[in-house]
């Protein structure tokens, strides 16, 4: 389905391929004299973008004049300083999904910072402790702002170069556009009360079925980041072997083949692809989440073979996350349910005005100034088990801000012992996860199907 006008190739001449260079809108710069700080400005504003065939989509939101949103890259341990300048006609904030940072930088209105009003600015400064694939998005009127385009990638590069030949970041998401290429209503309440409302146009880096060049015979790192508000991708690869080396920003000790991998809203998968030796051969990443599989991206082997071997791939260094002490960990049950209770519509951050969902029987839209009790209070430095129990017939990607947790067990399936910030919990499944409460503050915990988040499936845990 890729039309040639939408097909643009990444560069290649012998160096690293950066998807941010493809998009041509990197805002990151190193400040002279302050080499350890990478600075960027993100200015959310309304713009137009060629998303569908036959014309520009109006009323797209982007972080700057151009779309897609820029890919920010920073080295592990270096400081990132981002100025948010709000060019929208409504308030916004930025949340740094998966980054373990101080609470004041977490971007949740009312809970962690004031709303950033139109024409106002807010400076975010933090030191990402973990290397991996992360992303950023608003946490105010989130369904509208994210659906219209405000989802960008944040790549934290390993302090020591892991030695791949190319690195391509892919932002996977849908758009709800009508036949005329313009936005239609962003959700349907009947779907909100079920799995969520799907988009009509599916893109990778805002393009449909794009092609990228990758060095022939190389080990190319693909960062697949699902920033869609609803869709759980089912990813597979054709034309070459692919190994999953990290999930949700955290390295796997033992890489696994990419084969029908479920990646839900908010989640990420880093894949190493051994590109074929023959110039012009294609590798295709496909998504089997819908009845007609979608081409996520095609990689075209370019140049003479670099003759790399998948066996050269060493596990990435582990991130510095504290290991929970299971012998002392108290268990906190968290039940995800449907609800009939009504919540009040927020005047401030445009929730959807319905309540369909709840955590521990309490529906909360997650961005309101009303006093709301935490789901649990945790003591700094202690270990805890969160018992995530999905008592609904739909999957929910449950996301925690500020701390990473380890998957312990499911009552339904075998789980890899990975660190993550977002666990996809299937219908009727219970997953236990463990963490050390090592970050002070009020940390949001919510479903990352944004309609579910904004119709009650939100809460927060307090670490004191
Ligand atoms: Cu991507 Cu509150 O999260
Ligand atoms: Cu959900």
């Amino acid at each position: 389905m890729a039309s040639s006008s939408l097909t643009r190739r990444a560069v290649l001449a012998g160096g690293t391929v950066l998807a941010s260079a493809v998009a041509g809108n990197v805002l990151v710069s190193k400040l002279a004299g302050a080499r350890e700080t990478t600075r960027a400005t993100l200015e959310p504003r309304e713009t137009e973008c060629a998303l569908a065939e036959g014309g520009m989509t109006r009323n797209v939101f982007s972080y700057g004049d151009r779309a897609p949103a820029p890919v920010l890259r920073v080295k592990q341990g270096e400081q990132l300083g981002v100025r948010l300048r709000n060019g929208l006609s409504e308030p916004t904030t930025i949340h740094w999904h998966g980054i373990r940072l101080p609470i004041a930088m977490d971007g949740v209105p009312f809970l962690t910072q004031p709303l950033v009003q139109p024409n106002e600015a807010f400076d975010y400064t933090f030191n990402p402790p973990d290397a991996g694939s992360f992303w950023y998005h608003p946490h105010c009127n989130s369904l509208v702002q994210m659906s219209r385009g405000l989802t960008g990638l944040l790549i934290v590069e390993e302090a020591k170069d892991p030695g791949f030949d190319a690195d391509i970041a892919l932002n996977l998401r849908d758009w709800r556009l009508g036949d005329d290429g313009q936005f239609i209503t962003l959700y349907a309440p009947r779907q909100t009360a079920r799995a969520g409302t799907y988009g009509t146009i599916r893109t990778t880096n805002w393009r449909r079925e794009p092609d990228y060049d990758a060095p022939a015979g190389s080990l190319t790192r693909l960062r697949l980041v699902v920033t869609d508000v609803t869709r759980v991708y089912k990813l597979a690869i054709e034309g070459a072997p692919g190994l999953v080396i990290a999930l949700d920003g955290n390295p796997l000790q033992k890489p696994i083949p990419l084969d029908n991998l479920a990646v839900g809203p908010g989640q990420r998968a880093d894949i190493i692809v051994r590109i074929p030796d023959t110039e012009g051969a294609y590798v295709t990443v496909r998504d089997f989440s819908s009845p007609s599989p979608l081409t996520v991206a095609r990689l075209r082997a370019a140049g003479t073979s670099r003759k790399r071997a998948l066996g050269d791939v060493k596990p990435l260094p582990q991130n510095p996350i504290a290991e929970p002490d299971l012998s002392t960990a108290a268990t906190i049950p968290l039940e995800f349910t449907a609800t009939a209770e009504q919540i009040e519509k927020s005047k401030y951050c445009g929730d959807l005005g319905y309540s369909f969902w709840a955590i521990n029987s309490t529906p909360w839209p997650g961005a309101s100034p009303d006093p709301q009790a935490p789901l649990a209070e945790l003591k700094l430095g202690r270990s805890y088990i969160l018992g995530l129990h999905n008592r609904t017939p739909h999957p929910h990607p449950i996301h925690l801000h500020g701390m990473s947790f380890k998957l312990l067990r499911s009552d339904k399936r075998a789980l890899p012992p990975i660190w993550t910030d977002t666990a996809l919990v299937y219908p009727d499944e219970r997953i236990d996860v463990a963490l050390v409460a090592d970050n002070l503050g009020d940390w949001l915990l919510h479903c990352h199907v944004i309609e579910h988040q904004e119709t009650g499936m939100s809460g927060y845990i307090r670490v004191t």
Side-chain angles (χ1 to χ4, degrees):
M1 211 209 244
S3 84
S4 57
S5 65
L6 294 170
T7 304
R8 213 166 10 152
R9 296 226 160 96
V11 204
L12 336 151
T16 303
V17 181
L18 300 180
S20 50
V22 178
N25 58 357
V26 200
L27 297 182
V28 173
S29 63
K30 305 269 175 192
L31 258 206
R35 264 176 318 175
E36 71 288 355
T37 301
T38 296
R39 292 195 186 275
T41 298
L42 292 176
E43 184 168 0
R45 49 188 293 181
E46 202 167 305
T47 180
E48 296 188 335
C49 185
L51 293 167
E53 262 125 65
M56 300 295 268
T57 301
R58 294 183 300 274
N59 313 117
V60 169
F61 288 174
S62 196
Y63 285 105
D65 329 325
R66 272 176 295 179
V71 178
L72 303 178
R73 282 182 183 260
V74 64
K75 268 225 157 42
Q76 183 177 21
E78 282 184 2
Q79 182 154 285
L80 179 63
V82 179
R83 166 155 293 188
L84 162 63
R85 260 203 319 253
N86 186 2
L88 300 172
S89 56
E90 61 178 79
T92 192
T93 61
I94 299 179
H95 168 63
W96 310 94
H97 184 117
I99 303 283
R100 299 186 294 133
L101 40 58
I103 188 75
M105 298 291 111
D106 197 45
V108 181
F110 311 111
L111 209 57
T112 77
Q113 69 161 87
L115 288 168
V116 182
Q117 298 292 342
N119 300 314
E120 283 184 2
F122 189 91
D123 287 319
Y124 294 94
T125 308
F126 53 90
N127 240 304
D130 305 316
S133 302
F134 300 93
W135 64 293
Y136 59 91
H137 60 79
H139 231 293
C140 176
N141 201 14
S142 304
L143 181 71
V144 171
Q145 294 188 10
M146 291 168 69
S147 295
R148 286 181 177 248
L150 295 183
T151 67
L153 308 189
L154 169 56
I155 306 303
V156 183
E157 292 170 345
E158 287 76 18
K160 185 165 167 280
D161 182 355
F164 302 118
D165 302 290
D167 182 327
I168 302 176
L170 302 176
N171 187 335
L172 276 43
R173 57 166 296 167
D174 303 350
W175 306 80
R176 275 183 61 78
L177 306 181
D179 292 339
D180 60 354
Q182 304 307 318
F183 282 105
I184 55 175
T185 51
L186 297 175
Y187 68 100
R190 297 186 59 220
Q191 302 309 324
T192 308
R194 298 186 168 90
T197 312
Y198 289 92
T200 60
I201 298 275
R202 303 175 58 188
T203 61
T204 297
N205 290 346
W206 284 216
R207 294 190 285 142
R208 296 169 79 182
E209 308 195 328
D211 285 358
Y212 294 90
D213 275 3
S218 69
L219 293 177
T220 290
R221 182 182 195 163
L222 278 188
R223 300 171 184 269
L224 300 156
V225 183
V226 175
T227 76
D228 191 59
V229 293
T230 312
R231 182 178 299 280
V232 178
Y233 282 72
K234 286 256 168 53
L235 297 168
I237 191 163
E238 291 163 9
L243 273 185
V244 183
I245 54 164
L247 289 171
D248 305 335
N250 289 297
L252 300 187
Q253 245 139 17
K254 250 177 77 200
I256 53 169
L258 177 62
D259 180 17
N260 227 4
L261 180 72
V263 184
Q267 296 189 303
R268 297 83 72 200
D270 284 37
I271 316 293
I272 293 303
V273 184
R274 171 41 164 95
I275 303 294
D277 294 307
T278 318
E279 162 120 47
Y282 279 98
V283 179
T284 308
V285 179
R286 308 255 278 164
D287 169 31
F288 291 89
S289 68
S290 57
S292 46
L294 178 90
T295 294
V296 168
R298 292 200 308 167
L299 306 177
R300 181 187 166 275
T304 46
S305 176
R306 300 199 180 185
K307 301 245 156 55
R308 299 289 302 267
L310 257 192
D312 297 352
V313 176
K314 308 239 172 355
L316 294 167
Q318 291 294 304
N319 284 322
I321 306 172
E323 186 71 40
D325 176 358
L326 297 180
S327 68
T328 61
T331 297
I332 297 165
L334 295 169
E335 279 201 348
F336 304 91
T337 54
T339 185
E341 208 181 303
Q342 277 306 308
I343 34 173
E344 249 199 280
K345 195 172 161 66
S346 160
K347 306 185 270 299
Y348 302 91
C349 251
D351 70 72
L352 307 184
Y354 294 91
S355 51
F356 294 123
W357 306 102
I359 305 178
N360 288 353
S361 305
T362 307
W364 185 53
S368 90
D370 322 328
Q372 168 79 22
L375 293 164
E377 296 202 35
L378 279 52
K379 285 270 161 279
L380 186 69
R382 304 274 296 257
S383 296
Y384 294 87
I385 292 171
L386 308 181
L388 309 175
H389 192 177
N390 178 356
R391 300 188 55 194
T392 81
H394 306 286
H396 300 286
I398 302 301
H399 172 50
L400 174 65
H401 290 206
M403 288 170 287
S404 298
F405 51 81
K406 187 181 229 172
L407 302 183
L408 292 182
R409 59 188 157 256
S410 155
D411 64 356
K412 290 265 187 295
R413 57 192 167 120
L415 290 178
I418 55 167
W419 296 104
T420 178
D421 50 74
T422 309
L424 189 57
V425 191
Y426 285 106
D428 298 315
E429 186 181 31
R430 179 179 158 148
I431 292 183
D432 284 347
V433 306
L435 55 74
V436 179
D438 57 2
N439 207 352
L440 283 173
D442 287 348
W443 300 106
L444 218 58
L445 180 141
H446 62 87
C447 178
H448 224 285
V449 171
I450 304 301
E451 289 160 85
H452 294 176
Q453 172 194 337
E454 292 200 320
T455 57
M457 205 176 275
S458 299
Y460 66 94
I461 61 178
R462 171 169 289 165
V463 179
T464 58

